[in-house]
Each structure stands twice: as structure tokens, then as C-alpha cells.
Amino acid sequence: MRRRAALYVFLLLLHSAAARAENAAPYREMRHVMGTVLEIIIYHDDAKEARRLLDRGFALAQNLDDLLSNYKPESEISRLNQRAGHGRIKVTPELYHFIAVTKQLWQKTDGAFDITIGPIMDLWKKAEKTGVPPSLRALEESLRLVGMRHIILHESFEIELCHKGMILDTGGIGKGYAVDEIASYLKRAGVKNALINFGHSSIYALGSPPELHAWRLLLKFPDQEPLGILELKDQAFSASDTFGRPFEIAGKKYAHLVDPKNGTPLTHRVQAVVLGPSSTEAEALSKYVILRGWKRNSMLWDQTEVLRVTDNGEMERSESFPLQTR
């Protein structure tokens, strides 16, 4: 899943001399995956085992890129896109599970998160190149292909994209899904303390550095002053900024985030941070927060903390959002 270089949000690990246990040392590595930088930090008492765990974590992310990237014509999701409108197709259990998860998140966010947005994204990519916005007719035709209701999950790991021209675009969820897969693997391997940081916008904090009660991170959006310090432990993080990768057409600035309901990008800046038990869900909900806002008493936000900053600089956040501003 190739991405532009600009980042949604910057989080800097605040190191501490106390963050080393007597028998556990930190092992840290960064590699380029899914068009951005994946960083994994683990604490372990065996250097050789730590290296094996790191290699396996990066391999999981690379395998998911090979599975989910619609920039790679040989990927499984590209093959599924090519069969749109031609009946059901047998897929691997890995892809089937991914599609099932994204369909649940589409339902949970009332369509604000939708991986069938591909035809609309292609329209705006072409518009960016030509300098001419899509016509109303073109938008209406593409919107007919959008909606997870057009995906049927059959038994025996078969999936059907109901209409020719449908395109699944996993760019808004792939990093979060990879973070969860890596975190799950490290937990099964017995790792107690780790940080998985994918592109500074999708993070999972497993445990905490030894002798510290949480991972301490500096929250800072591009071109802005830091908002404060976040403390995370056994929690996922996702941040979205509508102008993280903006583009212009005829002098008008557009956000990279497109509303699946009307097929148009936002034209004002909104930033969102969501904390929760799952990086995959946090990524989907961060898009919802930007597009729809949030209600403090909604069941949607159980086990979830939210921060939202509007284009005029107003900040709203849930009462327990762990941001230290001093």
C-alpha cells in the first residue's frame, strides 16, 4: 500500500534512563514497509531471540502489503478487484478475515469508513493530474459502486464483488491491521513490553518500558506546536489529519480524506486521535471522528478515548483522554 511521504502526526518516544530493567534490554529497528516507516521496539533478555522476533514482525507487515496492496497487480486484493462483477472468487482465509473485519467496521461507523471507496479515489487522482474536478455525473456513477453492501461473503472463503468496476482500497486501514497482527504475534511469543509504530499514525503500546508505568509519547501534528504528552499502555493509537496529504485543483485545496456518502474530499482541516484496544478499529473510528464528529454518550465509544481538533483550533476530547499538557 504505497503512500506519499507526508505523515499524519508525529510521535516521538521520550527516552528515560530508568527504562531499562536489570535483565531486559531494548531492541529497536525501523524498516520501510507499505510506503512508510515501520518501527518496532521490544524489551527482551535474549539478543538472538529479540532479533528473530523483530524479523518476524517485519515479515508479517510485508506479507500483508503483498496481500492487500492495490498498487501491486499480483496482490490477492488486486486479483479480487479484477474479478469484480464476475461472481464469487475463492480467497485465502487471511483476506477473507480482513474483508469481514472491514465490513463490520463499515456497519459500526454507518458507512464513514468504507474500503469500497476505490472508484471515487481514482476519480480524484485523475482530477489532480488533469486539474479538472470530476463531473457530477462521474461522481454519481462511481458512488453507485461504493458501499460494503455490494460485497457478499460466501461460505468456504469465497467473496463476491457484485458490480463490475468496484475497487477495494485498503489504504485507510492497512497499517492499523498490520500493527494488530504484529502485536498479537508478540503477545503469543511472550513479549511483555513493546511498541509498534507504523508511520507515526498507527501505534500499539504493549506493556511499558521496564521501570516506567507507560510508554510516553509526544503528540505533535505537522506545522503545529506539540499538544502534549501521551501515556499509553496496552492500548492502540490512531491519528488522522485531513491535510496530511492535501492536493490542489484550480487553486482550491482538497484533503486526502473523501466522504463515502457524497464522494467529495473535505476542504477544511480536522485532526483526530483515537485510542482503543484495537489499532484496526482505532483507524476506522478516527475517520468517523473527522467526518461525523462524536457523541460522548454514544455506545460507539466504549473502551475508546477521543481527541478532535477543528480547523479553527478548537479542541474537544473525552474526559479520560491521557494527554498531559504541562
Side-chain angles (χ1 to χ4, degrees):
M1 285 159 283
R2 211 178 315 164
R3 299 179 182 273
R4 298 181 186 179
L7 301 175
Y8 292 122
V9 68
F10 298 95
L11 287 117
L12 307 175
L13 176 64
L14 301 182
H15 295 285
S16 169
R20 180 187 292 266
E22 184 176 342
N23 297 318
Y27 296 89
R28 178 184 185 183
E29 188 165 338
M30 293 181 286
R31 298 184 192 176
H32 196 265
V33 188
M34 292 186 182
T36 189
V37 176
L38 169 61
E39 175 187 35
I40 304 176
I41 305 170
I42 65 173
Y43 280 83
H44 211 281
D45 57 5
D46 185 320
K48 185 176 180 181
E49 177 64 7
R51 172 56 49 197
R52 187 188 71 81
L53 292 169
L54 287 171
D55 287 342
R56 179 56 181 160
F58 287 108
L60 284 171
Q62 187 59 62
N63 289 342
L64 283 172
D65 191 27
D66 295 339
L67 182 79
L68 301 176
S69 175
N70 43 346
Y71 287 98
K72 297 180 178 180
E74 72 280 6
S75 72
E76 189 173 11
I77 206 155
S78 290
R79 295 197 300 271
L80 180 59
N81 285 335
Q82 292 160 11
R83 288 289 306 275
H86 295 287
R88 60 180 69 181
I89 179 175
K90 185 86 168 182
V91 300
T92 60
E94 291 78 11
L95 182 59
Y96 190 92
H97 178 263
F98 172 82
I99 299 296
V101 168
T102 58
K103 192 161 188 175
Q104 291 171 355
L105 291 172
W106 172 75
Q107 294 171 331
K108 186 169 186 175
T109 61
D110 191 27
F113 168 77
D114 194 335
I115 65 169
T116 66
I117 194 71
I120 299 293
M121 299 302 292
D122 280 0
L123 266 187
W124 285 101
K125 288 174 185 176
K126 292 174 183 176
E128 183 181 3
K129 292 179 180 178
T130 63
V132 179
S135 67
L136 180 59
R137 180 177 178 180
L139 281 173
E140 289 175 344
E141 289 177 352
S142 294
L143 280 171
R144 294 192 187 103
L145 303 174
V146 175
M148 296 288 283
R149 61 187 175 279
H150 302 311
I151 301 178
I152 300 176
L153 300 176
H154 296 282
E155 295 180 351
S156 303
F157 302 112
E158 292 185 327
I159 295 179
E160 181 178 355
L161 306 188
C162 295
H163 306 295
K164 187 176 181 180
M166 288 182 66
I167 302 172
L168 306 186
D169 185 334
T170 62
I173 201 73
K175 290 194 288 117
Y177 192 80
V179 166
D180 283 340
E181 290 293 297
I182 296 169
S184 179
Y185 165 72
L186 292 178
K187 290 176 185 178
R188 293 195 305 271
V191 174
K192 303 297 183 183
N193 308 302
L195 186 76
I196 304 146
N197 177 4
F198 214 154
H200 301 288
S201 63
S202 297
I203 293 175
Y204 189 85
L206 174 59
S208 63
E211 300 184 15
L212 291 180
H213 68 275
W215 291 91
R216 292 172 53 81
L217 306 167
L218 179 67
L219 178 58
K220 182 183 182 300
F221 284 94
D223 305 320
Q224 294 180 353
E225 293 297 316
L227 294 176
I229 304 297
L230 277 176
E231 292 192 341
L232 301 180
K233 181 176 182 179
D234 297 321
Q235 199 169 31
F237 164 105
S238 177
S240 290
D241 184 342
T242 53
F243 284 166
R245 301 188 304 274
F247 61 96
E248 288 190 10
I249 299 176
K252 186 174 182 179
K253 192 174 184 180
Y254 293 92
H256 74 278
L257 186 60
V258 175
D259 191 334
K261 287 197 173 181
N262 57 31
T264 58
L266 274 67
T267 55
H268 58 282
R269 189 172 196 177
V270 183
Q271 299 158 327
V273 177
V274 174
L275 311 179
S278 158
S279 292
T280 309
E281 182 169 290
E283 281 217 21
L285 292 179
S286 68
K287 278 69 175 178
Y288 181 97
V289 170
I290 286 179
L291 292 171
R292 311 284 181 254
W294 66 290
K295 297 179 180 179
R296 296 175 186 271
N297 297 324
S298 170
M299 293 292 290
L300 186 64
W301 308 111
D302 285 352
Q303 297 183 289
T304 304
E305 302 295 340
V306 178
L307 179 146
R308 188 175 191 266
V309 184
T310 61
D311 57 346
N312 60 9
E314 292 184 2
M315 181 192 300
E316 55 179 349
R317 54 174 167 158
S318 52
E319 293 180 1
S320 301
F321 191 91
L323 184 68
Q324 300 176 8
T325 57
R326 294 183 180 179

